[in-house]
Amino acid sequence: MLSTYCLLDRGQCTIEELFKKKGGSKSATEIKYSTIDSAAASIPEANLAVISVNGAFAAREARKALENDLHVMLFSDNVSIEEEIALKQFAHEKGLLMMGPDCGTAIIGNVALCFGNAVRKGNIGIVGASGTGSQEVSVRIHDFGGGITQLIGTGGRDLSEQVGGIMMLDGIKALEEDEATKVIVLISKPPAASVQEKVLAQVKSCKKPVVVYFIGGEETSVLEAGGHFAKTSKEAAIKAVVLAGANEDELNKRALNWPLIEEVRAKLTSEQKYVRGLFCGGTLCDEAMYLAMDKYEDVYSNIQKKADYKLKNIHESKAHTFLDMGDDDFTNGKPHPMIDPSTRIARFLEEAKDPSVGVILMDFILGFGSHEDPVGVMLSAIMEAKANAAKEGRHLEILGYVLGTDLDTPNFDEQVKKLMDAGVTIASSSTNAGLLAREFVAKGE
């Protein structure tokens, strides 16, 4: 049986060759297959299937792909956890990658699949149980001069008690065997304790340096396993590029702008003491929320782990509120806000009317699969909100973070300029966005 690494390595060449055919003849680009079986038979060199079908059929199609010795990226959600476990166990036995279900981001052979960003090749591999978290770390690695070998997505439930981290463990093994990968980065929202133990046990036995970014995680256990702990996404990227050979003294770490913080604090009234975060990216929301929780008690969200601070009504914010608008609460029967931002626009205009709000924080995600102009569709609402606040004699601080690289489409600099021209303050990273937001509204400091 071929190892996971051998299959992955073979897949890199296959994927790159197939994508190069995009500009070829119509006959090469318009072939359609009615089943996975017929596609696999007609393209014997292919060994990866990206599946996005209704959840009722997703597990069936994924199993067909695995039976055809294809790695699987399963974008579909609404797959039962029992089906997920069965698929991942089957893939593990066959030495295949089973990325998903609900896997939104991967980079295989320098090709971004589903949601992803254009980043340079390098020597850092990522295994991520979080789509936008993986995007953010890959983009920051690019920003700090590094590059990516592979970004293997696992799906958001992989590190749950039930699934047991099957895909993350296989992903670590694949990257450990990959000669091009010199450093491994692990990314997840808070994993189940027992699963974290299994992952850290594999980190301990891994022959390559491993950076562990588990949001809200605890440092001691990572260090005891010989890993490199990262509290934030930016710290994860910095540690990865330094371990991969970069000179830390030469990095522009984009330190927090304290003069700007003092300037914004002076514009806000004593009543304006709350942050409202409206996010397309779930992990970006998580990071900002956890940074706020380091400073404040009254931090609410639709994705809060603390029951007392989980919003009872997602349509009503209270105190500091951070909303993952890509969560099922908001997307049931609707497109993800990275594709259709209408729900976020409406919520933004409501939050902007609240006189207790000092800062509204938003992410704008560029790259493959995202809206063609995520900033442009928000501009009229931003200008309307700022004008209404000014009429009421208050300053409304809008803080934006554009997740993207200089290689992305739409153009990163143009998106940033649109926001700045509309009076939006720009954060240089997800980490800095969360830190700036919490510090802007701090009183008596």
Side-chain angles (χ1 to χ4, degrees), residues 250-264:
E250 295 178 357
L251 295 180
N252 178 359
K253 297 181 181 178
R254 307 191 187 281
L256 214 56
N257 187 340
W258 283 98
L260 172 64
I261 290 169
E262 296 298 334
E263 180 184 326
V264 173

Side-chain angles (χ1 to χ4, degrees), residues 30-231:
E30 293 184 358
I31 298 175
K32 295 181 181 180
Y33 300 96
S34 59
T35 67
I36 286 177
D37 289 335
S38 61
S42 299
I43 317 173
E45 71 273 22
N47 76 329
L48 185 147
V50 179
I51 298 173
S52 179
V53 297
N54 185 288
F57 312 107
R60 181 191 70 189
E61 297 305 311
R63 180 166 285 274
K64 286 182 183 177
L66 294 171
E67 288 171 346
N68 279 281
D69 289 330
L70 298 171
H71 299 294
V72 173
M73 181 177 183
L74 184 54
F75 185 79
S76 307
D77 56 7
N78 294 314
V79 175
S80 75
I81 199 157
E82 292 80 13
E83 289 173 319
E84 177 174 352
I85 293 167
L87 288 169
K88 287 184 171 177
Q89 288 175 340
F90 183 51
H92 174 78
E93 291 166 3
K94 291 176 68 67
L96 295 168
L97 301 178
M98 178 63 224
M99 298 180 283
D102 200 19
C103 180
T105 299
I107 300 175
I108 304 296
N110 208 40
V111 175
L113 303 175
C114 298
F115 295 119
N117 298 90
V119 296
R120 72 175 64 83
K121 277 187 176 181
N123 58 2
I124 299 169
I126 295 173
V127 188
S130 157
T132 53
S134 297
Q135 284 185 258
E136 171 63 10
V137 173
S138 71
V139 163
R140 294 277 66 75
I141 286 171
H142 178 95
D143 183 42
F144 291 130
I148 304 300
T149 53
Q150 314 291 337
L151 192 168
I152 300 171
T154 70
R157 295 186 305 201
D158 191 67
L159 274 70
S160 66
E161 188 79 42
Q162 301 97 313
V163 181
I166 298 171
M167 187 64 252
M168 180 162 281
L169 295 171
D170 283 351
I172 295 169
K173 183 180 178 182
L175 293 178
E176 184 178 7
E177 294 176 3
D178 177 20
E179 292 182 4
T181 298
K182 305 304 179 187
V183 177
I184 300 170
V185 183
L186 308 182
I187 304 167
S188 177
K189 297 177 183 179
S194 63
V195 180
Q196 178 170 305
E197 286 182 14
K198 287 198 290 186
V199 171
L200 293 181
Q202 187 153 331
V203 168
K204 191 169 187 175
S205 65
C206 184
K207 297 179 179 65
K208 296 179 179 179
V210 181
V211 178
V212 180
Y213 172 46
F214 291 164
I215 301 176
E218 188 266 327
E219 183 174 12
T220 303
S221 58
V222 174
L223 297 181
E224 288 176 349
H228 300 264
F229 174 80
K231 180 180 175 62

Side-chain angles (χ1 to χ4, degrees), residues 304-382:
Q304 254 281 16
K305 298 299 181 184
K306 296 180 179 179
D308 290 346
Y309 295 97
K310 186 165 185 176
L311 290 172
K312 302 296 187 291
N313 181 352
I314 63 169
H315 303 293
E316 293 182 8
S317 298
K318 56 193 299 188
H320 302 286
T321 293
F322 295 83
L323 295 176
D324 172 10
M325 304 200 74
D327 189 72
D328 291 346
D329 291 337
F330 290 100
T331 59
N332 188 16
K334 299 177 182 178
H336 192 281
M338 285 169 65
I339 300 170
D340 177 5
S342 57
T343 301
R344 184 166 75 157
I345 292 171
R347 185 60 174 262
F348 167 79
L349 290 170
E350 287 301 311
E351 300 291 354
K353 297 174 185 176
D354 188 340
S356 71
V357 171
V359 177
I360 297 179
L361 169 58
M362 292 186 289
D363 58 346
F364 300 88
I365 301 175
L366 310 184
F368 306 105
S370 296
H371 193 280
E372 62 185 11
D373 186 10
V375 169
V377 293
M378 282 294 306
L379 286 180
S380 61
I382 288 171

Side-chain angles (χ1 to χ4, degrees), residues 15 47 85 138 164 168 178 192 227 232 234 272 283 292 297 299-300 346 433:
I15 293 167
N47 76 329
I85 293 167
S138 71
M168 180 162 281
D178 177 20
T232 66
K234 185 169 80 168
Q272 290 179 285
T283 307
E297 286 287 334
V299 178
Y300 294 83

Side-chain angles (χ1 to χ4, degrees), residues 364 382 386 397-400 418-426:
F364 300 88
I382 288 171
K386 289 185 79 71
E397 184 67 22
I398 300 175
L399 177 60
K418 286 181 182 181
L419 288 171
M420 294 180 68
D421 289 347
V424 175
T425 299
I426 302 298

